Amino acid sequence: MKKFKISLTAIVAAIILSISTGVFAYTGVGDVDPEFKFTMPSSLSNGEGTVSGVSGTMNYQFVEITSEKYTSIKKLEAQYDMIEVYVRYAENPTDEGLIKEWENAGNKYTNQYGGTATDVLNQYGVGPDILTLCRNAWIVELTNFDASKWISSSDNKISIDISTFEGTKYYIAWIQVGDTYDAEAYMVTGTKQEEQIEDKQEEQIEDKKEEQIEDKKEEQIEDKQEETKSETAGNEVKNETKTNNLKTDTTTVSSKTLPKTGANGSILGLLVIAVIATGVSYIKYRKIK
């Protein structure tokens, strides 16, 4: 927030606002960096930021808020920034540079949150305390801190562990330096690293299981192929044995059996006729004698 002087009017207004909105953990708006010594980081990098203007020990804590609360706080900050431009423009309304700056500030606010610059000015009243009243409204909008949850910081840093959650969350970061406080609202994106590692490990286990299943399938296919080859080889051996046996039997029969051809049959017939003729001639000779 931009720096401005806390007036008695501001304190009274803050008391009235406090009565209407609830009790706060600090004593009042006068305790929220009234001298503007501190500058909260505008954003966090990996959940971490450095507070400027702090000397000595600083305590801090993060209080989670809703997205609606975050938007409301940021809207009040945008109103404050616009009103600050208006105050400078009102002091020198003929300055062309300030005229253009005021016009741009009004358009920027309207584009972000709707409404007009005139509506905002009428909300707080165009007077010397307009900035103070706007900042008081911002302080009242802040969510209470818990006095039992301060974290000590010796290097002026505030830090939130973004690995403990995932997605976008909204926080108010409070700081405490002695009896003085300051705060800022942040939108933080968590990484949830531990679960990501577990998910990665589970994926690796699943991949390993799938590989083992595929390997098992391949081994079964190879075993089946080997069995098929063995059966084929066995059948080939049996067939070859049968073939050899058939060849051996055929050769044996051929060696014991005379071939029956037409020529050998004729010779045998002639021999028989010759023997018969010889026998007849012999009988006739015996008779003649």
Side-chain angles (χ1 to χ4, degrees):
M1 297 294 293
K2 300 296 187 292
K3 295 177 171 53
F4 62 92
K5 185 177 180 181
I6 297 289
S7 65
L8 178 61
T9 303
I11 296 175
V12 173
I15 294 174
I16 295 173
L17 289 171
S18 297
I19 294 174
S20 61
T21 56
V23 180
F24 289 84
Y26 46 91
T27 58
V29 294
D31 294 333
V32 183
D33 195 12
E35 298 180 1
F36 295 93
K37 293 180 179 180
F38 317 128
T39 301
M40 300 288 290
S42 58
S43 61
L44 302 178
S45 177
N46 294 322
E48 186 176 278
T50 302
V51 181
S52 301
V54 176
S55 59
T57 302
M58 179 188 78
N59 298 323
Y60 73 92
Q61 65 177 269
F62 281 86
V63 180
E64 186 173 358
I65 58 176
T66 64
S67 61
E68 291 78 13
K69 173 70 74 173
Y70 173 83
T71 300
S72 179
I73 292 171
K74 289 301 180 182
K75 182 178 181 179
L76 287 167
E77 291 179 2
Q79 290 178 351
Y80 184 92
D81 291 340
M82 185 182 66
I83 293 172
E84 186 182 47
V85 176
Y86 168 76
V87 170
R88 290 189 288 108
Y89 157 74
E91 291 176 352
N92 193 358
T94 60
D95 186 302
E96 293 184 359
L98 290 175
I99 294 173
K100 187 65 175 178
E101 187 177 353
W102 167 236
E103 180 181 348
N104 291 337
N107 291 335
K108 179 181 178 181
Y109 177 83
T110 299
N111 292 335
Q112 286 182 322
Y113 299 101
T116 66
T118 302
D119 294 335
V120 175
L121 296 178
N122 291 335
Q123 178 180 346
Y124 299 104
V126 181
D129 295 327
I130 187 172
L131 276 174
T132 302
L133 293 174
C134 182
R135 186 173 190 269
N136 290 345
W138 171 80
I139 293 173
V140 170
E141 188 66 18
L142 298 174
T143 302
N144 295 356
F145 58 74
D146 188 333
S148 65
K149 293 184 178 180
W150 289 115
I151 301 172
S152 180
S153 174
S154 59
D155 54 5
N156 300 344
K157 289 185 177 181
I158 58 175
S159 178
I160 184 170
D161 188 356
I162 60 176
S163 69
T164 59
F165 64 93
E166 61 180 348
T168 301
K169 288 191 175 184
Y170 304 88
Y171 294 91
I172 291 176
W174 278 101
I175 65 166
Q176 179 192 42
V177 181
D179 295 330
T180 304
Y181 305 90
D182 202 358
E184 186 60 76
Y186 298 103
M187 179 174 63
V188 185
T189 301
T191 60
K192 210 167 187 179
Q193 295 176 353
E194 292 182 0
E195 287 197 11
Q196 289 177 348
I197 292 173
E198 291 176 358
D199 291 342
K200 186 66 176 179
Q201 291 175 342
E202 289 178 0
E203 289 177 1
Q204 291 175 347
I205 291 172
E206 290 298 325
D207 292 340
K208 188 65 176 178
K209 287 181 179 178
E210 291 179 0
E211 290 178 0
Q212 291 175 347
I213 292 172
E214 290 297 326
D215 293 340
K216 187 66 176 179
K217 288 181 179 178
E218 291 178 359
E219 290 177 1
Q220 291 175 346
I221 291 172
E222 291 176 356
D223 292 340
K224 189 65 177 178
Q225 290 176 344
E226 290 296 329
E227 290 176 3
T228 302
K229 288 180 180 179
S230 298
E231 290 177 0
T232 302
N235 290 334
E236 289 177 354
V237 171
K238 290 179 180 179
N239 291 336
E240 184 177 356
T241 302
K242 290 180 180 179
T243 302
N244 291 335
N245 290 337
L246 289 174
K247 288 180 181 180
T248 303
D249 293 340
T250 301
T251 303
T252 304
V253 172
S254 298
S255 63
K256 292 181 179 181
T257 304
L258 293 174
K260 297 180 180 180
T261 63
N264 291 333
S266 299
I267 295 171
L268 182 59
L270 292 173
L271 289 174
V272 172
I273 293 170
V275 170
I276 293 172
T278 302
V280 171
S281 298
Y282 178 75
I283 292 172
K284 287 182 178 181
Y285 173 76
R286 289 286 301 188
K287 287 180 178 183
I288 293 172
K289 189 176 179 180

